[in-house]
Amino acid sequence: MDDYLTYTKPDRIAAGVDQLAAFTEPDRPYTRLVFSAEFDAGRRWLEDQFSAAGLVCNIDAGGSLIGIRAGAGAEPRAKLIIGSHIDTVPAGGRFDGIAGVLAALEIVHYLNEHDITLPFDLEIVDFLGEELNVWGTSCLGSRHMAGLITAEMLGRKDQDGRCLGAEIARIGGSGKPSAGVRGDADRILGCFELHIEQAKTLQSMLVDIGLVTEIPSIYRYGITVTGQAGHSGTTVMDGRRDAAVAAADIITAVSDLAGRIEAEDNRHFVATIGKIDIFPNGAAIVPGRAEMTLDLRAASDRSRLRFEAALDKLIKQTSMTRNCQISRDQLAGAAVAPMDKKLISILADQSARLGLGTMPISSGAGHDTAHLSRFARAAMLFIPCQDGLSHCPEEFTSADSIARGAAVLVRSVLALAEQSAPKGLI
Ligand SMILES: [Zn+2]
């Protein structure tokens, strides 16, 4: 049986993690926000790594950095896309996204060291701005490829007046809305992304590789409660129309409801009210209005529809018991993104050949691959994440864990290449 060390070098991966980690706001490790000076420097470093590995670099219209290793045969060739992202959240970790980019680069090193020319082009990608940014849009690069970046998004400004479209143009993208899905979508054999799990299932099950079954739907709703503001001293309790009390009822009930649906459906299902504004927000005023944002992630659309129906009932009930008007608006919604079964089975086979344990796993978080899956075959593999900690400086996975995942990718690329007619996959 092959060993993962045949295919990858954990030391080289560890060195890459350390070097990228140095591109951070010094007072707030690890912070490399998209379009920041640290991000620009990280990009330059990565471009150097890509070039040193013989990749031909370019920035696509959406601002993603793409390193191309040309395959054999006449153009136009089929292509395989492998990547992740190097931007971080504020005070984030060293591995979220970075592990996937460095693992993709390991494939190129292996091919170079063994003088292998693939029958298709290999594209290693740093997707632009995967993390949610101050302009309110995550996954900038992959959304652009999927035809989902609009003029409205690009026109948004941050508090310093920086326009999103202008920032994308500054780093080499077009700064223009997507004209549609990638023009070469029909030539894409598949897309792979390695990522840390960002939860602790793999660690607690002692499994090396998680084969992602789907990336959850992400829905956001605005819930507005309108009551009646009044003097906190003179407004008697009986008959108050306190918007904050009604909001509190909803927050508690939403948490209970989500827990019940998660248990009954036995699929990933989480609902969070993480943002609330109370008006007028004064210590001596009965709150007259409350505005909340509900964030929902579900592995199954059925669970979400059940939740929405129950939420509407709950809103009606609360509005009667608390004598407030309550409305719900959908702010954003993206459907569940199922991963490609054929690509998953290749990842499973190659993991087994390396003696690595696998298990199917739902992604809790959103990823670039969700957008890629809208126009191409796509699959993700997760590697263990220590204690499930992510989006924080304590985030950790070992270089060996990344190397195991990278070895699965190397073998999967070779398996795709060995198929005499790669298009047969499609
Ligand atoms: Zn990520």
Side-chain angles (χ1 to χ4, degrees):
M1 190 177 290
D2 272 351
D3 187 74
Y4 70 95
L5 296 170
T6 312
Y7 297 94
T8 57
K9 293 196 168 72
D11 289 351
R12 184 167 52 201
I13 293 170
V17 169
D18 286 348
Q19 287 172 51
L20 253 178
F23 301 109
T24 174
E25 288 181 18
D27 302 336
R28 195 166 55 151
Y30 299 93
T31 304
R32 190 166 50 252
L33 305 181
V34 67
F35 306 127
S36 64
E38 299 77 27
F39 176 80
D40 291 352
R43 262 279 170 97
R44 280 195 296 276
W45 176 85
L46 189 63
E47 198 169 339
D48 286 347
Q49 303 298 305
F50 279 13
S51 301
L55 299 177
V56 176
C57 293
N58 64 57
I59 307 272
D60 77 351
S64 295
L65 171 63
I66 304 181
I68 301 170
R69 191 175 191 276
E75 293 192 57
R77 284 183 289 272
K79 44 188 80 180
L80 186 65
I81 298 175
I82 306 184
S84 197
H85 61 97
I86 64 157
D87 66 316
T88 72
V89 294
R94 290 171 292 159
F95 300 92
D96 173 356
I98 291 115
V101 175
L102 294 176
L105 201 48
E106 282 297 295
I107 302 167
V108 178
H109 290 311
Y110 179 87
L111 297 173
N112 290 348
E113 285 157 11
H114 294 79
D115 218 0
I116 296 169
T117 304
L118 298 169
F120 44 76
D121 287 353
L122 184 62
E123 286 193 7
I124 308 298
V125 186
D126 166 29
F127 293 101
L128 180 69
E130 193 270 350
E131 303 291 359
L132 188 61
N133 54 45
V134 290
W135 294 272
T137 306
S138 62
C139 299
L140 296 173
S142 53
R143 267 184 216 272
H144 199 281
M145 287 187 192
L148 299 172
I149 293 289
T150 63
E152 182 277 318
M153 290 171 180
L154 296 173
R156 292 181 198 163
K157 290 188 172 143
D158 72 356
Q159 56 183 16
D160 301 323
R162 291 187 306 164
C163 178
L164 178 58
E167 286 301 302
I168 295 175
R170 181 182 64 74
I171 58 137
S174 71
K176 300 207 173 86
S178 349
V181 298
R182 265 179 71 137
D184 57 1
D186 59 337
R187 282 187 277 123
I188 298 173
L189 284 176
C191 311
F192 286 122
E193 181 177 6
L194 173 149
H195 207 282
I196 56 167
E197 186 199 346
Q198 303 181 286
K200 55 185 171 190
T201 313
L202 295 174
Q203 176 184 293
S204 52
M205 304 291 280
L206 300 174
V207 170
D208 304 300
I209 303 288
L211 301 168
V212 177
T213 45
E214 74 283 305
I215 299 171
S217 64
I218 303 180
Y219 277 72
R220 284 200 191 97
Y221 311 93
I223 299 176
T224 303
V225 183
T226 311
Q228 176 60 58
H231 193 299
S232 69
T234 59
T235 313
V236 296
M237 296 310 286
D238 186 35
R240 273 192 186 197
R241 299 176 60 213
D242 187 324
V245 173
D249 284 354
I250 289 176
I251 292 170
T252 311
V254 158
S255 172
D256 294 346
L257 175 63
R260 219 166 42 239
I261 290 180
E262 182 186 40
E264 284 170 10
D265 292 0
N266 200 20
R267 304 286 302 274
H268 184 74
F269 186 91
V270 289
T272 308
I273 295 181
K275 184 171 190 299
I276 175 164
D277 293 299
I278 305 281
F279 301 92
N281 206 20
I285 310 169
V286 176
R289 192 157 50 93
E291 292 178 1
M292 303 181 274
T293 308
L294 194 169
D295 173 288
L296 185 75
R297 321 276 178 128
S300 134
D301 285 326
R302 197 180 142 267
S303 304
R304 174 178 54 84
L305 294 172
R306 281 183 63 204
F307 177 85
E308 283 179 351
L311 176 65
D312 286 339
K313 238 190 227 165
L314 168 71
I315 284 176
K316 221 181 210 170
Q317 244 166 31
T318 311
S319 122
M320 278 184 344
T321 53
R322 298 297 179 185
N323 197 17
C324 290
Q325 268 182 342
I326 309 175
S327 64
R328 160 171 91 83
D329 299 300
Q330 186 177 312
L331 305 176
V336 176
M339 296 290 94
D340 184 79
K341 289 195 170 63
K342 282 184 185 165
L343 291 184
I344 294 174
S345 79
I346 291 173
L347 293 173
D349 286 352
Q350 301 310 322
S351 301
R353 281 160 192 257
L354 287 161
L356 301 173
T358 60
M359 66 180 285
I361 197 163
S362 272
S363 172
H367 293 288
D368 289 309
T369 297
H371 300 293
L372 306 181
S373 76
R374 313 281 183 212
F375 63 86
R377 291 180 180 278
M380 284 191 85
L381 68 160
F382 280 174
I383 56 170
C385 172
Q386 190 170 287
D387 300 328
L389 293 173
S390 183
H391 281 194
C392 59
E394 294 80 13
E395 181 181 276
F396 184 77
T397 191
S398 69
D400 281 281
S401 285
I402 302 174
R404 287 185 193 98
V408 174
L409 286 176
V410 173
R411 287 204 53 120
S412 298
V413 170
L414 296 177
L416 278 168
E418 273 165 25
Q419 299 183 2
S420 51
K423 287 221 163 184
L425 186 74
I426 298 170

